[in-house]
Amino acid sequence: MMKLFHSKGSCSLASLIALEEAGAPYEVVRMSTAAGDQRKPEYLQINPKGRVPALVTERGILTENVAILAFVAQSFPEANLAPLDDAFAFAQMQALNSYLASTVHVAHAHKHRGYRWATEESSFADMRRKVAENETEYFRLIETEYLKGPWVMGEQYTVADGYLFTIADWLEGDGVDSRQFPRVHEHRERVRARPAVSKVLAEEAS
Amino acid sequence: MMKLFHSKGSCSLASLIALEEAGAPYEVVRMSTAAGDQRKPEYLQINPKGRVPALVTERGILTENVAILAFVAQSFPEANLAPLDDAFAFAQMQALNSYLASTVHVAHAHKHRGYRWATEESSFADMRRKVAENETEYFRLIETEYLKGPWVMGEQYTVADGYLFTIADWLEGDGVDSRQFPRVHEHRERVRARPAVSKVLAEEAS
């Protein structure tokens, strides 16, 4: 059985949703990144990067949402979580996933994790002031360019939907009103209403 | 014929190497990110993100190295540029590609592009001071954990090798002596010596 190392409220929710949507056999190891669990020696044995998610499989350990999401989709093809027989469509899906990881999530991380890239408190404050502006720019692009509707890839729900949901759910906390992006906003509610997502979120809240 | 929008010295070199290694029919549209070509209206029609690379295919336009690299590997399976029949190995390769995009490249970007995440000159200077330290930490992990040798994935060259080469080639410019990472250093020279890479680099220099 696969084992996902996950912290509530973090981006590893995307991998958790994918596993649940896939009907995969898995268990969750709950961590707290707020408490610094990801920096503890026992976790660094699992993922030396000191980040979530990490997925323990029978073949070894995988990290990075972009990789885990595609792995889950490819490992459970009957769940139809990615356009596996269409390299172009698969790449479009991966392009959004990679944008979420390398641009959108990175913008969000400058709110509380400025210490990754700078040392001075004044720099951290400066970074915090730009988070909402950046997220607004990036979600405007997602709204107009990268969300085909009703799902990211059109008629078929994919692992990109759970990832977009995960990141979009941070907007209000970062001072961005997601209602200025009605398609993203409706997409988020559509994902939240899915049985697999409802189940995962109920477990998060319990 | 596919068309790659590429800027010399930028990360789009990874996609260019992949196309050449694949034997794909392509042409290069040379841009200068230093001159701001990526922000010109005609390019924003191609890639509204205002970044390179962008790959124009007969099906549409793809962005993000992580997506383009996998697309090239899947579209030219006879070139053996990814473990296409092994979802776990494919995910390991994608995990390194995603790490390069979302962590290593992002660390590098704080040297000259601090304006993406902050506003004050003092913050930019603070960020610049941390670039070499971050890259050292990330390349130490690559050295010890993510480079199987002789290639990233072991005996088989993949698109991840050209990407690692592209990013590792920035180390000296960022004040990091790559000889402290002998396996990365040797890997870089091994990639540089490949016929496809030599050809691409000669065209870059001409």
Side-chain angles (χ1 to χ4, degrees), chain A residues 57-95:
Chain A
T57 79
E58 61 184 7
R59 292 277 301 281
I61 295 166
L62 293 174
T63 58
E64 307 287 338
N65 272 310
V66 173
I68 292 172
L69 295 177
F71 173 73
V72 172
Q74 291 182 332
S75 300
F76 299 90
E78 65 285 1
N80 274 323
L81 293 174
L84 298 176
D85 298 324
D86 180 339
F88 180 79
F90 184 78
Q92 280 191 315
M93 183 193 84
Q94 288 292 82

Side-chain angles (χ1 to χ4, degrees), chain A residues 39 47-49 51 55 57 59-68 70-71 74-75 84 86-92 94-96 98-99 101-103 106-107 110 114-124 126-131 133-134 137-138 141 145-146, chain B residues 39 47-49 51 55 57 59-68 70-71 74-75 84 86-92 94-96 98-99 101-103 106-107 110 114-124 126-131 133-134 137-138 141 145-146:
Chain A
R39 291 269 163 215
N47 181 5
K49 296 173 192 166
R51 306 274 178 97
L55 182 68
T57 79
R59 292 277 301 281
I61 295 166
L62 293 174
T63 58
E64 307 287 338
N65 272 310
V66 173
I68 292 172
F71 173 73
Q74 291 182 332
S75 300
L84 298 176
D86 180 339
F88 180 79
F90 184 78
Q92 280 191 315
Q94 288 292 82
L96 179 66
S98 186
Y99 185 60
S102 62
T103 300
V106 167
H110 282 73
Y115 58 82
R116 285 184 187 160
W117 303 287
T119 306
E120 306 293 335
E121 184 49 52
S122 60
S123 307
F124 304 156
D126 190 13
M127 291 175 184
R128 278 194 295 272
R129 286 191 293 270
K130 210 167 174 353
V131 169
E133 176 190 330
N134 281 341
E137 177 188 336
Y138 303 148
L141 265 184
E145 304 283 341
Y146 302 121
Chain B
R39 290 270 163 214
N47 182 5
K49 294 172 192 167
R51 306 274 179 96
L55 181 68
T57 80
R59 292 276 303 279
I61 295 166
L62 293 174
T63 59
E64 307 287 338
N65 272 312
V66 174
I68 292 172
F71 174 74
Q74 291 182 331
S75 299
L84 298 176
D86 181 339
F88 180 79
F90 184 77
Q92 280 191 316
Q94 288 293 83
L96 179 67
S98 186
Y99 185 59
S102 63
T103 299
V106 167
H110 282 75
Y115 58 81
R116 284 183 186 158
W117 304 286
T119 306
E120 306 294 334
E121 185 48 54
S122 60
S123 307
F124 304 158
D126 190 13
M127 291 175 183
R128 278 194 294 272
R129 285 191 293 269
K130 209 167 174 358
V131 169
E133 176 189 329
N134 281 341
E137 177 189 334
Y138 304 148
L141 265 184
E145 304 282 341
Y146 303 120

Side-chain angles (χ1 to χ4, degrees), chain B residues 105-169:
Chain B
H105 186 164
V106 167
H108 168 78
H110 282 75
K111 185 180 174 194
H112 290 307
R113 303 194 190 279
Y115 58 81
R116 284 183 186 158
W117 304 286
T119 306
E120 306 294 334
E121 185 48 54
S122 60
S123 307
F124 304 158
D126 190 13
M127 291 175 183
R128 278 194 294 272
R129 285 191 293 269
K130 209 167 174 358
V131 169
E133 176 189 329
N134 281 341
E135 291 184 5
T136 300
E137 177 189 334
Y138 304 148
F139 272 93
R140 186 166 295 132
L141 265 184
I142 292 170
E143 174 84 3
T144 57
E145 304 282 341
Y146 303 120
L147 174 53
K148 295 182 184 179
W151 308 113
V152 166
M153 293 299 297
E155 295 301 319
Q156 182 61 50
Y157 178 92
T158 67
V159 289
D161 292 293
Y163 197 9
L164 177 57
F165 167 81
T166 296
I167 306 277
D169 225 28

